[in-house]
Amino acid sequence: MTLPPADSELGKLMATLPRPGRVEWIGLRPARGEAMRAVGEAQAVAGKGLVGDRYALANGSGKRGVTLIQAEHLPVIAALSGHADVAPSLLRRNVVVSGLPLLALKERRFRIGEVVLEGTGECDPCSNMERALGPGGFNAMRSHGGLCARIVEGGMFRLGDAVVVLS
């Protein structure tokens, strides 16, 4: 979906968020199939990914340089997959954000710490979610998988940093 013109009524509604978000968890995937490692801060490299994360080593456009998931969706995913709770590391996203609707950042630029990101699209679940969450895990993640983002300007970000939409 392409964003409507900024001066249209729908454009104004889509640009309005109640408050900034907040980074609640950061994780890195050192290699395919390895467990995620929770960290207190991460260094983002423009056009690539996060230092220490396997996607930073991949060549390409960097459209999936960082993956984000909404903290408020974790209990929903747990309930839909039949678990009491779900650890962020199990879902294999880099950043858990609370306090704002992540999908509102699709096709928008936003800042976390020193880093400027651009939402490139929804982060759909993969078949690994069936193994991680059990039968139906893939479907439990549908519409709750979060957002993929390109790193426009690199730098550091940390737990507790604000997630702010740039105009």
Side-chain angles (χ1 to χ4, degrees):
M1 175 179 152
T2 302
L3 293 176
D7 60 348
S8 71
E9 191 63 32
L10 182 57
K12 291 174 187 174
L13 288 171
M14 290 179 72
T16 304
L17 295 171
R19 64 185 171 271
R22 182 178 187 275
V23 174
E24 301 293 342
W25 185 87
I26 303 169
L28 302 175
R29 300 166 290 227
R32 184 178 178 89
E34 286 190 28
M36 291 201 74
R37 181 173 53 95
V39 296
E41 63 182 17
Q43 181 179 358
V45 179
K48 293 284 186 183
L50 303 178
V51 173
D53 189 80
R54 77 182 193 97
Y55 282 105
L57 304 173
N59 294 324
S61 65
K63 287 184 176 184
R64 193 183 168 99
V66 178
T67 55
L68 304 99
I69 193 165
Q70 196 162 333
E72 292 82 357
H73 287 190
L74 298 180
V76 174
I77 294 165
L80 294 174
S81 63
H83 296 279
D85 58 26
V86 175
S89 60
L90 197 61
L91 305 179
R92 315 221 19 105
R93 303 303 187 258
N94 297 117
V95 183
V96 176
V97 173
S98 66
L100 88 163
L102 274 178
L103 291 185
L105 303 180
K106 186 176 175 185
E107 296 184 30
R108 295 194 182 277
R109 289 193 174 187
F110 55 101
R111 178 179 298 281
I112 303 176
E114 301 171 349
V115 183
V116 175
L117 301 143
E118 181 177 57
T120 58
E122 293 183 40
C123 192
D124 295 322
C126 67
S127 62
N128 289 333
M129 293 302 100
E130 198 75 6
R131 286 189 294 279
L133 298 170
F138 175 86
N139 278 319
M141 287 281 298
R142 289 176 68 190
S143 298
H144 303 292
L147 182 75
C148 295
R150 169 186 299 117
I151 301 167
V152 178
E153 293 177 23
M156 297 294 294
F157 68 96
R158 293 165 180 77
L159 290 175
D161 278 353
V163 180
V164 180
V165 177
L166 303 174
S167 53

